[in-house]
Amino acid sequence: MPGAIQSVERAAAILRLLGGAGRPLALAELAAALDLPRPTVHGLVRTLRDEGLVDQDRTTALYRPGSGLRRLGGGWDRHDLRARAMNWADALAGGTGCAVYLAAPVGTMASLVHHVFRPDGSPQSLRTNTEQPLHATAWGKCLLAFAPVATPPARDLELRRYTGRTASTVAMLEAHLAAARARGMATDVGEFETGVGGAAVPLRSGGGLTVAALGIAAPVEELFGGGGEPRRHLAEQLLHAGREISALLVTPR
Amino acid sequence: MPGAIQSVERAAAILRLLGGAGRPLALAELAAALDLPRPTVHGLVRTLRDEGLVDQDRTTALYRPGSGLRRLGGGWDRHDLRARAMNWADALAGGTGCAVYLAAPVGTMASLVHHVFRPDGSPQSLRTNTEQPLHATAWGKCLLAFAPVATPPARDLELRRYTGRTASTVAMLEAHLAAARARGMATDVGEFETGVGGAAVPLRSGGGLTVAALGIAAPVEELFGGGGEPRRHLAEQLLHAGREISALLVTPR
DNA sequence: AGGATCAGTTCGACATTGTCGAACGTCGAC
DNA sequence: GTCGACGTTCGACAATGTCGAACTGATCCT
């Protein structure tokens, strides 16, 4: 059985050293840490630099993690995501009369990439670049239901209670997620903010992988009709916008 | 002049493919994309998997970006940072009577890693895991002033106005940052929230690199004395806590 | 100014390693 | 059951990566 590719192992070790150092490192420091001759380490780190995974300071010659690492983690660049989704999000707010949220998964939270105010002139504060708990918002639950790879399992979440309606047990949350999957849409009935409801659909990129959630929010009695389902004309617009944005995400840029 | 290390180049190409794909990829897809035979790609991607830079699904055998990538970017794991700082942050809140914030740089924002309520029982909302603008808070400006590698230059920031006191031009912000550097501490006099002031000091890891900011917040007239400087007993406690936490960050765990 | 030291970088011989065709084993579709 | 696709293993050998020696540049000391 063939072994590992030694030079790739060594390159990975260099990346770990630089990532964990807390400061830029000199070639000699890398060589000493790896117990390898300087020309050996030089060839490796120069290749990593040329690939963008390591940056080298021009005057000090010190090496540090490179900006090219940012693109390797998978998931969408939030600025690109916002640029592709914002026109449809703005139109959705106009068409539904609701606030609109575009959310991406970050650890145990839903990070708001874009936020459109409810167009009724009521007092609202901008939430772009804030984070909200996955388990208590429609867009958070949407990510939990449809993006299992990018979100933690329900049992690993701290199910903090925000209102009397928050899902505060794993069984309860799992039931919400199952319902969302069955419906193709997640909802919340005032689980994060009392009296404020939400509904959200997944945004999918190439291959069908869910990368973000698109949600609308309004007072619970405006968003939901009898039977506890979102009002039909609102749900239809949300689903339509979700499909259109997803189509934009499939296309390479 | 020797060329690049070919196998490292190929490994980097695999990481880029997986990072940009938006879905897990099969070995055959990687091989086709790189125009290399499957056993060649297999050796490379298996090594990347063994190094934690690539994950492989056990049932489908598909490959995707690995969790080990997270540690390569430099900067501190936020959970580790919080674990090391929280005792001192809690004591600082008790000693100063102020709210305390621990913030790390994330893009153009200061992300709140830890938040201790002001110990006077007043109504407060938890802000842990939320983000605030770098240019309008003491901890944000502290990061701008002392962590130039991890934060964007002032001219690249969108200097949005939150109150009448927010630094809304590059020249104004640069003057604030220069003053912070001269003092070893950054302040804000109600620039993010009207009437609420802040002061913050850098937290440094091994090599002196600033990785986070420790800040206190209170009403402006309580935090600042005559002359526009933070009250001496508050500043001293903040500086002391900052030094103690920094000493903890130097020690490997 | 000259010399010593340190460290990043280049050169090239050659041993080691990585490559890759052939083959194996597994899985799913028909 | 058969076939095709694909992940994985095997091993011969060509290509590549390694690394000692040397070069170059910067800094410090006398």
Side-chain angles (χ1 to χ4, degrees):
Chain A
M1 148 136 155
I5 312 286
Q6 181 179 235
S7 54
V8 173
E9 285 183 310
R10 285 174 170 172
I14 290 171
L15 292 175
R16 281 195 297 268
L17 274 176
L18 291 174
R23 62 184 176 92
L25 296 178
L27 179 77
E29 290 176 283
L30 291 172
L34 295 166
D35 200 23
L36 290 173
R38 284 179 294 141
T40 304
V41 178
H42 182 248
L44 292 162
V45 75
R46 183 181 55 190
T47 302
L48 290 170
R49 186 198 61 199
D50 294 344
E51 297 291 332
L53 303 189
V54 166
D55 282 344
Q56 184 180 26
D57 188 271
R58 220 170 314 139
T59 57
T60 61
L62 299 182
Y63 297 99
R64 64 176 181 265
S67 56
L69 285 169
R70 220 171 287 146
R71 303 253 170 243
L72 301 183
W76 273 71
D77 179 78
R78 61 194 292 132
H79 301 291
D80 199 2
L81 184 58
R82 183 200 272 130
R84 293 182 183 222
M86 70 193 300
N87 286 341
W88 276 104
D90 294 353
L92 183 61
T96 57
C98 299
V100 175
Y101 295 90
L102 175 64
V106 176
T108 60
M109 309 292 277
S111 175
L112 298 184
V113 175
H114 189 56
H115 169 207
V116 191
F117 286 161
R118 201 178 176 200
D120 63 354
S122 59
Q124 297 170 69
S125 54
L126 192 66
R127 289 175 171 179
T128 306
N129 288 327
T130 64
E131 292 183 351
Q132 296 177 343
L134 286 171
H135 71 284
T137 58
W139 31 97
K141 290 195 288 184
C142 184
L143 293 171
L144 286 171
F146 296 103
V149 172
T151 53
R155 68 180 173 272
D156 289 350
L157 292 172
E158 183 186 338
L159 300 184
R160 178 172 169 181
R161 224 172 219 235
Y162 292 91
T163 75
R165 290 169 168 252
T166 314
S168 54
T169 66
V170 172
M172 207 173 147
L173 179 60
E174 294 280 18
H176 285 201
L177 302 186
R181 289 188 194 107
R183 194 170 30 192
M185 179 186 299
T187 56
D188 86 77
V189 284
E191 293 153 46
F192 182 58
E193 288 181 85
T194 303
V196 179
V201 294
L203 300 182
R204 301 178 195 272
S205 68
L209 201 67
T210 295
V211 299
L214 177 72
I216 55 175
V220 172
E221 64 279 356
E222 288 183 29
L223 188 51
F224 296 92
E229 292 300 309
R231 291 179 191 272
R232 179 119 149 239
H233 70 283
L234 298 180
E236 281 179 347
Q237 288 183 72
L238 177 59
L239 284 160
H240 178 63
R243 281 193 298 269
E244 293 295 328
I245 295 173
S246 293
L248 290 177
L249 299 184
V250 174
T251 319
R253 185 172 266 200
Chain B
M1 143 137 159
I5 312 287
Q6 182 180 233
S7 54
V8 173
E9 283 183 312
R10 286 174 168 173
I14 290 170
L15 292 176
R16 282 197 296 270
L17 274 176
L18 290 173
R23 63 183 175 89
L25 296 178
L27 179 78
E29 290 177 283
L30 291 172
L34 295 165
D35 200 25
L36 290 172
R38 283 179 293 141
T40 303
V41 178
H42 183 248
L44 293 162
V45 76
R46 182 181 54 190
T47 302
L48 290 170
R49 184 198 61 202
D50 294 344
E51 297 291 332
L53 304 188
V54 166
D55 283 343
Q56 184 179 26
D57 188 273
R58 219 172 316 141
T59 57
T60 61
L62 299 181
Y63 297 98
R64 63 176 182 266
S67 56
L69 284 171
R70 221 172 287 150
R71 304 234 173 257
L72 301 183
W76 273 73
D77 177 80
R78 64 194 291 131
H79 301 293
D80 200 3
L81 184 59
R82 183 199 275 128
R84 292 180 182 222
M86 69 194 299
N87 287 341
W88 275 104
D90 294 353
L92 183 61
T96 58
C98 300
V100 175
Y101 295 90
L102 174 63
V106 174
T108 59
M109 308 293 278
S111 175
L112 300 184
V113 175
H114 189 56
H115 170 207
V116 191
F117 287 160
R118 201 178 178 200
D120 63 354
S122 60
Q124 298 170 66
S125 54
L126 193 67
R127 290 175 169 178
T128 305
N129 289 328
T130 64
E131 293 184 351
Q132 296 177 342
L134 286 171
H135 72 283
T137 58
W139 31 96
K141 290 196 288 183
C142 184
L143 294 170
L144 286 171
F146 296 103
V149 172
T151 53
R155 68 177 173 273
D156 289 350
L157 293 172
E158 183 186 334
L159 300 183
R160 177 172 170 177
R161 221 171 221 231
Y162 293 90
T163 75
R165 291 169 167 253
T166 314
S168 55
T169 65
V170 173
M172 204 172 151
L173 179 60
E174 294 280 16
H176 286 200
L177 302 187
R181 287 187 195 109
R183 196 171 27 193
M185 178 187 299
T187 57
D188 86 76
V189 284
E191 292 153 47
F192 182 57
E193 288 181 87
T194 303
V196 180
V201 294
L203 301 183
R204 302 177 195 271
S205 68
L209 201 69
T210 295
V211 298
L214 178 72
I216 55 176
V220 173
E221 65 279 356
E222 288 183 28
L223 187 53
F224 295 94
E229 292 299 312
R231 292 180 190 274
R232 176 121 149 243
H233 71 283
L234 298 181
E236 281 178 348
Q237 288 184 73
L238 177 59
L239 283 159
H240 178 64
R243 280 192 300 264
E244 293 296 328
I245 294 172
S246 292
L248 290 178
L249 298 185
V250 173
T251 319
R253 182 168 268 197

